[in-house]
Amino acid sequence: WSPDVTDIYGLTPLFWAGYKGHKDCVEILLSRGADPLYERTHSDKNPWRPRNGVSRDDSPLAAATKCHHGDIVAMMQDIIKARLSVASAGVCQGCQQLTSEVRSLSAVVAKKDEQIHLLETTVNDMKEVVTANGRQISFLSKAWANVKRFFGARDEQFHHVVPSVDQLSSCAVESPGSSLSASELQSSVTDVQILEVAKAAGDKWRDIGVHLGFKLTDMKDYEVKHRDSLSERLVEVLTDWRRKERNATVGILLSACKKAGVEGAATNALRQ
């Protein structure tokens, strides 16, 4: 049952106990959860005329105060303070829980930053120690594809990492069927190799440049500059690529030549 059930006047048992000065009744009602600040349910039926200046709209605490029942007023005030204290403790607990959740979220963000740093370090280590063995590079390519799928290609923090590993992975295309050794594939492109590839490529010079990352507009500029020589166009393209690309290896160049359809000629030229 509710300790604040109202009678025909819209008044609660605690109101009457406080109004009449029945201390024992007040104590029992308060222990059962009665509200000292309960507001009367208005009703014009069954009018009742209070005395001692008490209004029917008064709370039980106000009624006891106006009737000068000091001990009852003190009891009601104590219970109000106690209930406010419990409510405040609940709010504080909620704040502590929220603070804990914020700290947990911060820890997750910090962990992700740590993973990003670890991934970048791993990429740098792979550049130094990965060999051109076709099976190993193929495995690396699949693993890197899974990493990109896990973090999402839209994550801007990984955009500067992706191209480096993609270049390493591209070597897997040529290694199994190439007659070049692992050390040859990982070696840097020389001037002699540039000249020989340029001679062997013929009219495929533009395709090789595009597969090395140049734009078609760049190819047009090389064509205008060297109108009479296909090989000179490719020599300048490969020279510029080697200067801009820190990891300009034979394996990457051979990959571009294969995509352009001149793998056989390029393989022979790159043995130089």
Side-chain angles (χ1 to χ4, degrees):
W1 59 279
S2 171
D4 291 320
V5 63
T6 57
D7 59 12
I8 59 175
Y9 303 112
L11 301 172
T12 66
L14 186 60
F15 178 92
W16 287 111
Y19 177 69
K20 296 289 187 178
H22 299 313
K23 183 177 178 180
D24 293 340
C25 293
V26 169
E27 186 174 1
I28 293 173
L29 288 168
L30 289 176
S31 68
R32 296 296 182 90
D35 185 5
L37 301 177
Y38 186 90
E39 294 182 355
R40 185 181 77 92
T41 301
H42 291 277
S43 175
D44 293 331
K45 299 178 181 180
N46 303 308
W48 168 72
R49 295 180 181 179
R51 54 187 175 82
N52 298 330
V54 177
S55 167
R56 287 183 297 173
D57 295 327
D58 283 337
S59 65
L61 175 61
T65 301
K66 290 181 180 180
C67 291
H68 306 289
H69 301 310
D71 49 351
I72 293 177
V73 171
M75 289 173 59
M76 292 185 178
Q77 289 177 337
D78 289 342
I79 200 68
I80 291 172
K81 290 178 182 179
R83 291 174 183 175
L84 287 175
S85 178
V86 171
S88 299
V91 172
C92 291
Q93 184 178 1
C95 291
Q96 290 176 354
Q97 183 177 358
L98 180 60
T99 301
S100 177
E101 292 176 354
V102 170
R103 288 176 179 172
S104 298
L105 181 59
S106 300
V108 171
V109 173
K111 184 65 176 179
K112 184 176 181 183
D113 290 340
E114 182 181 345
Q115 291 174 338
I116 293 171
H117 177 71
L118 177 61
L119 181 61
E120 292 175 341
T121 303
T122 303
V123 169
N124 292 331
D125 291 342
M126 285 192 296
K127 287 181 179 179
E128 296 177 3
V129 304
V130 69
T131 68
N133 181 278
R135 186 172 300 174
Q136 291 176 330
I137 296 179
S138 177
F139 177 81
L140 172 64
S141 178
K142 294 178 182 177
W144 177 240
N146 290 334
V147 170
K148 287 194 292 185
R149 193 159 50 244
F150 177 78
F151 285 103
R154 292 175 297 176
D155 195 332
E156 296 181 358
Q157 298 180 75
F158 291 90
H159 281 178
H160 66 289
V161 181
V162 172
S164 300
V165 182
D166 283 345
Q167 286 179 347
L168 288 173
S169 301
S170 67
C171 296
V173 178
E174 291 73 28
S175 295
S178 173
S179 60
L180 298 176
S181 66
S183 60
E184 287 174 325
L185 288 171
Q186 282 298 100
S187 62
S188 299
V189 176
T190 66
D191 291 339
V192 174
Q193 288 172 325
I194 288 177
L195 292 173
E196 294 300 323
V197 170
K199 293 177 185 178
D203 60 357
K204 296 294 185 179
W205 70 275
R206 182 183 290 102
D207 296 341
I208 295 174
V210 170
H211 289 304
L212 287 174
F214 289 88
K215 298 179 181 178
L216 288 174
T217 53
D218 299 330
M219 297 295 98
K220 187 65 176 177
D221 293 339
Y222 290 117
E223 184 177 2
V224 171
K225 189 173 181 180
H226 302 284
R227 293 183 180 275
D228 301 326
S229 176
L230 297 177
S231 61
E232 287 183 6
R233 297 174 191 174
L234 187 53
V235 166
E236 186 167 357
V237 169
L238 296 180
T239 302
D240 290 345
W241 166 70
R242 186 177 61 178
R243 184 178 66 254
K244 296 176 183 178
E245 177 58 51
R246 288 170 28 181
N247 189 34
T249 64
V250 170
I252 295 176
L253 178 54
L254 184 57
S255 173
C257 291
K258 180 178 179 180
K259 294 173 183 176
V262 291
E263 179 185 14
T267 300
N268 294 329
L270 289 169
R271 286 201 187 94
Q272 303 298 322

